[in-house]
Amino acid sequence: MPDPNGFLRYDRRLPARRPVPVRISDWREVYPPAGEELIREQATRCMDCGIPFCHDGCPLGNRIPDWNDLVRTGNWDAAVESLHATNNFPEFTGRLCPAPCEAACVLGLGGQQPVTIKQVEVEIADAAVARDGLRPRPAPTPTGRSVAVVGSGPAGLAAAQQLARAGHTVTVYERDDAIGGLLRYGIPDFKLEKQHIDKRLAQLTAEGVRFRTGVHVGVDVTAEQMRAEHDAVLLACGALQGRDTPETPGRELRGVHQAMSHLVAANRVVAAAGDGRPALAALPDGTPIDAAGKHVVIIGGGDTAADCLGVAHRQGAAGVHQLDLYPQPPTERDAARDPWPTWPWLLRNYPAHEEGGERVFAVAVQEFVDDGTGQVRAVRIAEVTVEKVDGRRIVTPLPGSEREIPADLVLLAIGFEGTEEQPLLAQFGVTRNGRGAVDARGDWQAADGVFVAGDMHRGASLIVWAIAEGRAAAAAIHTYLGGVGELPAPVDPARQPLAAR
Ligand SMILES: Cc1cc2nc3c(=O)[nH]c(=O)nc-3n(C[C@H](O)[C@H](O)[C@H](O)COP(=O)(O)OP(=O)(O)OC[C@H]3O[C@@H](n4cnc5c(N)ncnc54)[C@H](O)[C@@H]3O)c2cc1C
Ligand code: SF4
């Protein structure tokens, strides 16, 4: 029986982040472990409210009140079991999820702070590693059926684990030189140290999943070959087509780059250092891309922009501005606009924002300014208003509001336009829809025997959705292959986040 008064006795508390001067001098994670005493206290705040809306807030349907109570009573082994029953990789979501479950916590209804669900989750995930090192659970009997998974992000990996545990032979194909998708070279180590991916990969390997890196499906191996070798194919290629701004004057200048170019280069340097190899942050053609000593301007207000901000400070930027088209959001939920338990529009302060830099809201870039040699020296911005007319976004500059911000390095973090146009699509007979995503039928098939999941299906989204879709697509593939019984399917292809309208 959970403690019905826990939330009255304890306030919401998170572990202290590592001090800014210390953490920006390395690439280690920002949060230290919470410690058992704090996390059991925080789990006690869950009142087991009867109708736990956090379940609906979480696309995986994590059994949050169950494992909160198991942590409260110190029953860690059972908490680990309960969490892994719905989530293949809680060490990723516990570190990185924006926690829509917390926005839906019933405590929020009475003006209380929600339970620190995500922090409890990561502590359980880390306890699992500490206790049995992620014990492999290989299937007792092979089915003799074979599945190819294309793309090794969280969607592909979740599907691979589910299918391997059901007895199918699974091969994951990844064009990059390491497994993990955006978790590997997109998301910086200060949010997710790569040891967490490697530990999970050791478990998947022991469960029989085969990994083939450096294989660009559609280029190095054709769809026809894949179909001949495997009984089903899952496409989980992400939504990596970065949005650009070709119409802005000066876009072609040196020093103006896609944010992902900056992040991937920086993450490769950290990975190389971990292997004892020297490396420079550079584009694939060798052009250096490093914020050291530079005035950096980041355009965009989301996860990618915040990650660039943290990287720029660790590289030793002289100064950083982060520009956002929209006005500064409120710091409290606007119940008229986003009633509980939906995800509210709020000012989100990432740990990277504590580390320095200036955020500028309601501005749009008018020009990237040339220093006379083809290198950017500034961005010219104007204050703007933004409105939606017939679903279209209208941005209106305020006359006389223009000014320049010095810039040696400009990073475009203005979103993604869906999955990339690449040979694999036509070869498998699938097409991008108007949002740049690949539609799936109700059984997750995009073409006969070809399934799709994760960002490639949803458009750029979140890790929790990628894992949920990977699990659900695996369940559909298992059925398609005539597997015995059913695998869990937390979402269907049409499922959307909780919304008021
Ligand atoms: C900078 C950044 C920070 C983010 N931070 C967060 C966060 O903090 N929290 C959060 O929840 N979400 C975050 N996200 C979103 C999250 O990373 C994605 O939603 C998630 O990784 C999607 O998983 P996926 O498996 O669908 O695809 P991805 O992780 O994108 O993986 C797709 C993989 O497919 C491979 N691939 C593509 N085509 C082929 C081919 N033809 N052959 C072989 N391989 C191929 C790619 O190389 C890639 O490795 C962030 C995204 C970015 C860009
Ligand atoms: S995965 Fe995300 S939404 Fe689900 S319980 Fe964890 S933090 Fe909450």
Side-chain angles (χ1 to χ4, degrees), residues 342-361:
T342 63
W343 181 246
W345 182 59
L346 282 181
L347 179 67
R348 305 210 182 263
N349 288 314
Y350 297 84
H353 291 118
E354 279 178 359
E355 295 164 4
E358 189 183 332
R359 293 166 94 172
V360 189
F361 292 94

Side-chain angles (χ1 to χ4, degrees), residues 63-138:
R63 301 169 188 164
I64 297 161
D66 290 3
W67 39 257
N68 273 334
D69 196 47
L70 292 164
V71 167
R72 178 184 74 85
T73 51
N75 200 342
W76 287 93
D77 287 334
V80 167
E81 272 306 305
S82 173
L83 180 53
H84 279 107
T86 55
N87 188 353
N88 297 71
F89 312 127
E91 65 279 21
F92 305 156
T93 47
R95 286 180 167 77
L96 298 169
C97 190
C101 55
E102 293 185 14
C105 174
V106 168
L107 284 183
L109 256 186
Q112 294 276 339
Q113 291 289 313
V115 174
T116 58
I117 298 169
K118 169 178 160 175
Q119 190 67 36
V120 176
E121 182 175 24
V122 77
E123 299 294 328
I124 300 172
D126 290 351
V129 176
R131 285 173 128 65
D132 70 2
L134 299 179
R135 186 167 40 85
R137 298 173 184 208

Side-chain angles (χ1 to χ4, degrees), residues 254-293:
R254 290 195 310 280
V256 183
H257 298 283
Q258 281 285 346
M260 287 306 290
S261 304
H262 176 237
L263 291 175
V264 171
N267 287 339
R268 285 190 188 279
V269 171
V270 177
D275 297 342
R277 292 178 285 126
L280 284 175
L283 301 175
D285 69 3
T287 310
I289 178 167
D290 193 309

Side-chain angles (χ1 to χ4, degrees), residues 432-437:
R432 297 162 85 231
N433 62 22
R435 295 181 299 108

Side-chain angles (χ1 to χ4, degrees), residues 91-417:
E91 65 279 21
F92 305 156
T93 47
R95 286 180 167 77
L96 298 169
C97 190
C101 55
E102 293 185 14
C105 174
V106 168
L107 284 183
L109 256 186
Q112 294 276 339
Q113 291 289 313
V115 174
T116 58
I117 298 169
K118 169 178 160 175
Q119 190 67 36
V120 176
E121 182 175 24
V122 77
E123 299 294 328
I124 300 172
D126 290 351
V129 176
R131 285 173 128 65
D132 70 2
L134 299 179
R135 186 167 40 85
R137 298 173 184 208
T141 341
T143 62
R145 310 307 297 272
S146 160
V147 183
V149 174
V150 185
S152 68
L157 292 181
Q161 183 163 61
Q162 293 295 98
L163 289 163
R165 287 178 172 178
H168 306 297
T169 303
V170 182
T171 309
V172 177
Y173 296 86
E174 170 57 57
R175 66 185 174 186
D176 217 327
D177 63 359
I179 296 292
L182 281 171
L183 304 180
R184 176 67 66 178
Y185 292 131
I187 293 175
D189 284 53
F190 56 80
K191 279 170 61 180
L192 178 77
E193 289 175 17
K194 306 313 167 196
Q195 47 146 329
H196 304 299
I197 310 176
D198 296 336
K199 285 178 185 154
R200 205 42 100 162
L201 293 182
Q203 184 194 45
L204 267 75
T205 304
E207 290 170 353
V209 178
R210 301 166 187 174
F211 293 104
R212 293 189 55 194
T213 51
V215 181
H216 194 168
V217 176
V219 177
D220 301 323
V221 50
T222 64
E224 200 181 343
Q225 290 169 305
M226 300 282 286
R227 280 180 177 279
E229 270 183 46
H230 302 283
D231 299 306
V233 178
L234 172 65
L235 303 179
C237 300
L240 300 167
Q241 184 64 54
R243 183 166 293 131
D244 214 310
T245 175
E247 70 288 352
T248 307
R251 168 62 185 93
E252 74 293 347
L253 294 174
R254 290 195 310 280
V256 183
H257 298 283
Q258 281 285 346
M260 287 306 290
S261 304
H262 176 237
L263 291 175
V264 171
N267 287 339
R268 285 190 188 279
V269 171
V270 177
D275 297 342
R277 292 178 285 126
L280 284 175
L283 301 175
D285 69 3
T287 310
I289 178 167
D290 193 309
K294 297 201 173 120
H295 293 283
V296 181
V297 173
I298 302 165
I299 302 172
D303 270 335
T304 307
D307 290 356
C308 287
L309 180 64
V311 167
H313 283 125
R314 281 161 184 76
Q315 289 179 332
V320 190
H321 284 87
Q322 187 189 341
L323 312 184
D324 199 322
L325 192 61
Y326 291 96
Q328 180 164 336
T331 51
E332 301 278 332
R333 183 195 284 272
D334 175 352
R337 176 196 154 118
D338 307 309
W340 178 93
T342 63
W343 181 246
W345 182 59
L346 282 181
L347 179 67
R348 305 210 182 263
N349 288 314
Y350 297 84
H353 291 118
E354 279 178 359
E355 295 164 4
E358 189 183 332
R359 293 166 94 172
V360 189
F361 292 94
V363 291
V365 175
Q366 307 299 295
E367 181 188 358
F368 302 110
V369 186
D370 194 340
D371 74 350
T373 71
Q375 160 70 39
V376 70
R377 70 157 179 81
V379 291
R380 192 160 52 76
I381 59 170
E383 291 171 25
V384 294
T385 55
V386 186
E387 51 185 343
K388 276 250 163 96
V389 179
D390 297 333
R392 283 179 49 242
R393 191 172 70 183
I394 309 286
V395 179
T396 313
L398 259 63
S401 68
E402 290 193 5
R403 64 184 168 107
E404 281 188 5
I405 299 180
D408 314 302
L409 177 63
V410 178
L411 301 170
L412 305 177
I414 50 180
F416 293 87
E417 290 183 330

